[in-house]
Amino acid sequence: MTPFGEALRDLRRQKGVTQQEMAAAIGVSAAYLSALEHGRRGRPSFDFLQRVCGYFNIIWDEAEELFRLAEGSDPRVTVDTAGLPPRYTALANRLARNIRHLEPDVVEDMLKLLENVPNRG
């Protein structure tokens, strides 16, 4: 599951709406919603996000958070280390091989460490 998928599922459940009801209302298939919620689909489109916000009548601050979560929810990430020192490529590859085996507290520690790195792209 992705951060966006979790947020979408939580929002839908808080509002008491099934996937089928929501899908019909915003013009997508229930299978697509299910795939988003389970992390089997990549980042949703801007148009989809706008339809979700309109459907749930989400105010701007909440919508901004939903858009932010969508931005960081691609389940198949590509890390470009071209032009970087060899250790950067080694790190990216080791993380790709081992991410499924990391303990949750290690993932949290890594996320906290990366929060202090400026986002330049």
Side-chain angles (χ1 to χ4, degrees):
M1 181 176 287
T2 65
F4 176 77
E6 181 178 45
L8 183 61
R9 176 182 284 170
D10 290 346
L11 182 60
R12 188 177 52 72
R13 287 183 174 167
Q14 287 170 9
K15 304 290 184 175
V17 178
T18 67
Q19 285 179 343
Q20 291 78 12
E21 292 167 336
M22 182 178 170
I26 65 173
V28 298
S29 70
Y32 177 72
L33 285 182
S34 178
L36 275 175
E37 288 184 8
H38 288 92
R40 292 188 305 268
R41 289 298 301 251
R43 189 173 67 201
S45 70
F46 180 77
D47 178 62
F48 174 83
L49 292 168
Q50 286 185 312
R51 286 186 273 160
V52 169
C53 291
Y55 177 69
F56 288 120
N57 202 18
I58 295 175
I59 60 171
W60 181 247
D61 287 346
E62 291 177 57
E64 191 173 280
E65 175 66 8
L66 201 59
F67 277 69
R68 186 189 67 73
L69 289 173
E71 183 69 28
S73 288
D74 190 342
R76 292 189 174 97
V77 178
T78 301
V79 179
D80 182 1
T81 61
L84 295 174
R87 296 294 288 169
Y88 288 67
T89 302
L91 171 64
N93 281 280
R94 181 165 289 175
L95 181 59
R97 280 191 311 273
N98 295 303
I99 195 161
R100 291 183 184 277
H101 308 292
L102 295 176
E103 296 294 329
D105 59 325
V106 172
V107 173
E108 287 303 317
D109 289 346
M110 293 173 77
L111 285 170
K112 286 177 186 170
L113 177 68
L114 292 172
E115 284 175 4
N116 298 319
V117 178
N119 185 359
R120 296 193 177 127

